[in-house]
Amino acid sequence: MAVGGAPCPVRVDGRPVAWGAPVRVPAGALLDVGTALRGLRSYVGVSGGITVEPVLGSRSTDLLSGLGPAPLTDGTVLPLGTPTHLHARVDVAPQPAPPTELVLRVTLGPRDDWFTPEAVRAFTSRPYRVSPASNRIGLRTEGPALERARPGELPSEGMVLGAVQVPPDGRPVVFLADHPTTGGYPVIAVVRTEDLSAAAQAVPGTPVRFLGMRRR
């Protein structure tokens, strides 16, 4: 197995083992993955995978839609697959640290015309912070509210990973891995894909800057 994502202490039967590298866990041993030291989310990968029944080609649980296997609870037993080959011994690749400041490059649109020019300028020049209300659905922000240029609401539109939706309170929300497939609030911009992994590890209170890029 291996633990990646946010750095954290990892132990097997009380003995410290490597984070971010393959580790052998004998049958009957206790694997203890501790609290993240930096960042938010650590991930446990097991050789052979977890062999629960797939839904729509995925073995993940989608809490928003309710699709997939049941969420984990105390005492859940997860069946593991058979490893197909031994892991080669390689050096551990360096991992970027979770950000102390989150800089998100954005392409404006498709609904930036729903906001005043002053709001668009504020969006790409004023500081925000990560809100404690953030989760895997979206990174919510605290900061200046963005003023609408027009009233009313949009019909529901398709939403992509990294879409920056602005709800009625005017504070931008960046859609992350478990985002909905549709939404009715205007999307002022879309975050570059390369910047989203850092967004997923940004703890509440992390400063956020949206850096405007030219339309592609």
Side-chain angles (χ1 to χ4, degrees), residues 108 111-126 128 144-151 166 170 186 188:
L108 291 175
R111 300 297 181 183
D112 52 314
D113 59 342
W114 275 61
F115 299 90
T116 65
E118 293 78 12
V120 175
R121 282 194 294 271
F123 172 63
T124 56
S125 63
R126 299 280 298 279
Y128 286 85
L146 303 181
E147 184 181 1
R148 292 272 194 93
R150 61 177 76 180
V166 183
I188 191 172

Side-chain angles (χ1 to χ4, degrees), residues 126-162:
R126 299 280 298 279
Y128 286 85
R129 301 185 81 83
V130 176
S131 165
S134 301
N135 53 29
R136 282 176 52 87
I137 296 172
L139 182 148
R140 296 182 178 274
T141 62
E142 298 172 340
L146 303 181
E147 184 181 1
R148 292 272 194 93
R150 61 177 76 180
E153 295 299 336
L154 286 163
S156 288
E157 298 181 312
M159 290 291 137
V160 298
L161 182 67

Side-chain angles (χ1 to χ4, degrees), residues 49-61 67-70 77-79:
I50 297 172
T51 56
V52 294
E53 191 67 28
V55 177
L56 297 177
S58 172
R59 292 183 170 89
S60 299
T61 298
L67 295 174
V77 176
L78 294 175

Side-chain angles (χ1 to χ4, degrees), residues 10-103:
V10 184
R11 294 180 173 83
V12 174
D13 281 344
R15 177 175 59 86
V17 296
W19 167 90
V23 173
R24 175 175 170 77
V25 180
L30 175 65
L31 170 67
D32 181 12
V33 180
T35 303
L37 303 175
R38 301 188 307 277
L40 281 178
R41 299 175 174 94
S42 301
Y43 301 90
V44 180
V46 183
S47 180
I50 297 172
T51 56
V52 294
E53 191 67 28
V55 177
L56 297 177
S58 172
R59 292 183 170 89
S60 299
T61 298
D62 186 344
L63 298 178
L64 191 62
S65 67
L67 295 174
L72 297 180
T73 57
D74 287 347
T76 298
V77 176
L78 294 175
L80 303 182
T82 302
T84 55
H85 60 274
L86 294 177
H87 192 283
R89 288 188 173 273
V90 296
D91 291 336
V92 177
Q95 302 291 324
T100 55
E101 180 187 36
L102 188 60
V103 179

